[in-house]
Amino acid sequence: MKYQMNKMKMWPLGSSMRWACVATSEANCRGGYMTIHDETGQIDMANVRRARATTEMPVLAAISKNYRTEIPFTGERIALCGHITEATAVQVDTLRRLGAEVAWCASSTSTTDEGIRLAVIADGVFVTGRKGMSTQELDAGVRMVRDYWPSGPTLILDEGARLIRDFHLPGCQTPLPRLAAEKTPEGISAIAGTPLRVCSRKRVSSEPFCHELDHCCLDEG
């Protein structure tokens, strides 16, 4: 079975970054389209599991229902770092229903669900990660999501502070988001004391991280 969709962003053929969308054996990129070859039916099976997960996450279902006409995230560009699983896919689906664009990078080298990864890509979401990738590939995927939009993301939903820390690497020129949320105690500890770029209208300065991040996120786990 083949799934074809408009690619949200094209990488040069032969680029070392091309793995981030899908493995070379699974996709062809020509003429602004990506064709995913899914001969084993992984996408259909993943979508069944995704639909079941949606019924098991009633808070997100209620959010989608209550805000389906307001579409409050219209214009928002959300960079998300998290495990590529059916539960996170439901979060991504919810954000998109609320009007957001989402780019998603894996937060682990070993937890990616290949079927879910392909299914979300088939829906037109930019996803980086694959099961069994190296730490270097994981880091490269984080940077690709960080830099996915020329004007940068407006919001970050992070796990392990990978995206937040990447925004503060020397030489990073990607515009800062308005808000970043970290969901894990480990991630908060990782950025405690880190000099962070702080935006103002007139300047960009560095200040130590000294306030508690809001633990509010679209996560029912």
Side-chain angles (χ1 to χ4, degrees), residues 2-124:
K2 296 182 179 180
Y3 291 79
Q4 189 174 71
M5 78 297 289
N6 286 312
K7 264 186 68 59
M8 297 173 64
K9 187 169 184 177
M10 288 293 292
W11 299 108
L13 289 177
S15 166
S16 61
M17 297 186 292
R18 186 179 174 212
W19 67 268
C21 294
V22 287
T24 306
S25 60
E26 297 166 342
N28 292 311
C29 301
R30 289 191 180 91
Y33 288 88
M34 176 195 295
T35 302
I36 297 176
H37 298 274
D38 180 33
E39 304 301 338
T40 60
Q42 288 188 85
I43 291 177
D44 290 338
M45 291 185 288
N47 282 332
V48 170
R49 292 187 286 115
R50 201 165 147 197
R52 183 174 63 244
T54 301
T55 67
E56 296 170 352
M57 303 178 79
V59 173
L60 294 184
I63 290 172
S64 293
K65 180 180 178 180
N66 293 341
Y67 292 95
R68 66 182 180 275
T69 57
E70 295 180 31
I71 317 180
F73 285 171
T74 298
E76 300 293 351
R77 303 180 300 275
I78 300 179
L80 184 148
C81 180
H83 297 289
I84 300 177
T85 62
E86 56 204 58
T88 313
V90 175
Q91 297 174 43
V92 170
D93 292 340
T94 302
L95 292 168
R96 297 182 74 212
R97 287 192 197 101
L98 299 182
E101 293 181 58
V102 180
W104 180 6
C105 59
S107 60
S108 167
T109 60
S110 60
T111 59
T112 292
D113 183 315
E114 291 295 302
I116 292 295
R117 177 178 71 91
L118 290 175
V120 175
I121 291 171
D123 281 349

Side-chain angles (χ1 to χ4, degrees), residues 155-171:
L155 304 172
I156 290 176
L157 298 178
D158 213 349
E159 184 168 329
R162 291 185 178 278
L163 277 166
I164 293 172
R165 285 183 291 172
D166 220 70
F167 265 91
H168 301 92
L169 292 174

